[in-house]
Amino acid sequence: MENRRNFIKKVSMLAAGGLAVGNLSAVSSTNIQAKAKKIVGLQIYSVMRELNVDVPAGMKKLAQIGYRNLELAGYDNGKIADIPVSEYRRIVEDAGLKITGSHVNLVDELGVSKYTKENMPVILDFWKKVTEDHVKLGIRSLVQPSMPPMETHDDVKIVCEVFNKIGEITKSAGFRWGYHNHSGEFKRIVSEEQRHAASQGGRRGPQGDVIYALMLNNTDPSLVFFEMDVYWTVMGQADPVEYLNKYSDRFPILHIKDRLVLGESGMMNFDKIFRTAYSHGLDDYFVELEGIRPDSGMTQFEGVKRCLDYLINAPFVK
Ligand code: MG
């Protein structure tokens, strides 16, 4: 009797095992189908340290993980990771990936950080050269990823004027120009008039204007888009969904980022962010992962794989 019971137990365990294996392969084939359907992009800054050790091998690895589109980082005078742009494009395409965007920092490249009337010709010449090189990369969007100094409303106006002009340059080259935020853009600046009015009005100090809103309001929507980094927006104590709804035609591309691996901090409402962005016509998005140090116990490649798996398994991601 005991033996029989053990036998039945073993058989049912085997059956359960068989079932589990069956389910697992069903899950994995669903996963492969989902991977094939969902086009997920990656900002390569996320894996830069490990990728640049061997770019062709690293690109193949990213394709194998399941990424499809890339947003570049690290452009430096006609080269990316010391590789001329045309060759870089060939390496990426040989791996089965597509370059759709690129981040270029004026500050790194030119040693000019402040946008002023005097700096404007130098700044525009810089972006013309960057644009020519990026035509060779076949991108759809060129993005400035960091904030020029803006302390007054006039500073913001000059930055926006320059942004509009850069937008014209890239538009005539066939791709759009945009700006990527961190958290500093959600600080407020106060004009002299606001300060004066507040001093007349009562005890409360002047509230001022949020820099990001000023940037949105003072740029031409046909020339400048905003690649909202949803994590840095939250870190700026602003709500990405509120901005997506209020400026519904300005965010065709998003940076999908969390404190570390996507979905693990619990602080990001990706469900609502994706649903809202889709409802306003989201074109593209890039995963970004920052903060994987060599002693993190996880490689950058492992980190971006976990981010992709999160999006593949997320029912709200198309
Ligand atoms: Mg970002």
Side-chain angles (χ1 to χ4, degrees):
M1 196 62 185
E2 189 59 33
N3 279 347
R4 189 168 179 266
R5 206 175 286 151
N6 277 346
F7 175 69
I8 291 167
K9 206 169 148 193
K10 271 182 194 161
V11 167
S12 58
M13 273 171 76
L14 276 169
L19 201 68
V21 169
N23 277 347
L24 216 85
S25 61
V27 167
S28 98
S29 78
T30 312
N31 201 280
I32 290 163
Q33 281 168 5
K35 268 189 187 181
K37 199 174 144 244
K38 293 187 184 183
I39 297 175
V40 183
L42 178 73
Q43 163 51 250
I44 65 164
Y45 177 73
S46 314
V47 287
M48 192 81 100
R49 189 179 59 241
E50 294 167 17
L51 172 68
N52 285 358
V53 173
D54 182 342
V55 177
M59 288 299 174
K60 285 187 188 120
K61 216 171 198 174
L62 291 176
Q64 204 177 13
I65 288 170
Y67 283 101
R68 305 273 292 275
N69 292 338
L70 298 183
E71 181 178 49
L72 304 181
Y75 168 90
D76 181 9
N77 198 22
K79 292 179 176 177
I80 314 268
D82 229 19
I83 300 167
V85 287
S86 302
E87 197 186 329
Y88 200 92
R89 179 180 182 173
R90 190 184 49 75
I91 292 169
V92 171
E93 290 177 357
D94 281 354
L97 296 164
K98 189 167 173 37
I99 301 166
T100 54
S102 180
H103 274 197
V104 176
N105 249 325
L106 176 78
V107 189
D108 295 349
E109 289 296 314
L110 207 59
V112 168
S113 63
K114 183 125 181 170
Y115 283 47
T116 61
K117 292 266 182 209
E118 296 72 42
N119 283 342
M120 209 181 285
V122 183
I123 292 168
L124 293 178
D125 279 350
F126 168 80
W127 285 105
K128 275 178 202 156
K129 156 87 172 125
V130 172
T131 298
E132 282 165 24
D133 284 337
H134 280 77
V135 168
K136 295 176 201 160
L137 285 162
I139 56 162
R140 301 200 290 249
S141 61
L142 179 63
V143 168
Q144 174 171 327
S146 64
M147 188 183 170
M150 284 178 276
E151 279 139 33
T152 66
H153 284 72
D154 282 345
D155 288 345
V156 179
K157 275 195 184 129
I158 292 173
V159 166
C160 291
E161 194 183 326
V162 178
F163 279 12
N164 284 338
K165 287 185 194 296
I166 306 167
E168 277 172 20
I169 295 168
T170 71
K171 194 176 189 177
S172 62
F175 52 87
R176 53 188 169 193
W177 196 82
Y179 177 73
H180 164 280
N181 65 285
H182 290 87
S183 57
E185 291 81 352
F186 299 94
K187 286 184 191 146
R188 289 173 181 270
I189 50 177
V190 182
S191 70
E192 278 313 309
E193 297 78 47
Q194 287 167 336
R195 215 182 295 279
H196 180 71
S199 71
Q200 304 290 307
R203 284 175 296 171
R204 286 190 63 183
Q207 217 191 2
D209 296 304
V210 174
I211 296 172
Y212 200 54
L214 289 174
M215 293 173 85
L216 281 154
N217 292 333
N218 284 284
T219 44
D220 181 340
S222 72
L223 299 172
V224 180
F225 78 95
F226 285 74
E227 181 187 60
M228 195 200 301
D229 185 306
V230 293
Y231 170 80
W232 286 117
T233 301
V234 169
M235 291 303 282
Q237 295 177 31
D239 179 3
V241 171
E242 205 179 300
Y243 273 95
L244 287 169
N245 283 328
K246 187 167 179 191
Y247 299 92
S248 59
D249 61 339
R250 306 302 297 277
F251 304 105
I253 305 173
L254 294 178
H255 255 205
I256 298 298
K257 180 174 146 51
D258 203 332
R259 192 181 295 282
L260 208 58
V261 171
L262 294 183
E264 290 190 358
S265 76
M267 66 178 274
M268 297 300 301
N269 192 346
F270 287 120
D271 186 333
K272 202 163 180 197
I273 287 168
F274 270 97
R275 287 183 204 277
T276 310
Y278 285 134
S279 77
H280 299 308
L282 180 69
D283 286 344
D284 214 351
Y285 61 88
F286 299 103
V287 168
E288 188 177 36
L289 175 66
E290 290 178 280
I292 305 286
R293 298 180 310 273
D295 62 352
S296 287
M298 182 197 326
T299 67
Q300 292 181 318
F301 280 107
E302 283 163 359
V304 298
K305 183 185 183 304
R306 278 164 63 175
C307 290
L308 183 96
D309 288 345
Y310 171 77
L311 296 174
I312 294 297
N313 293 319
F316 51 82
V317 177
K318 286 180 193 169

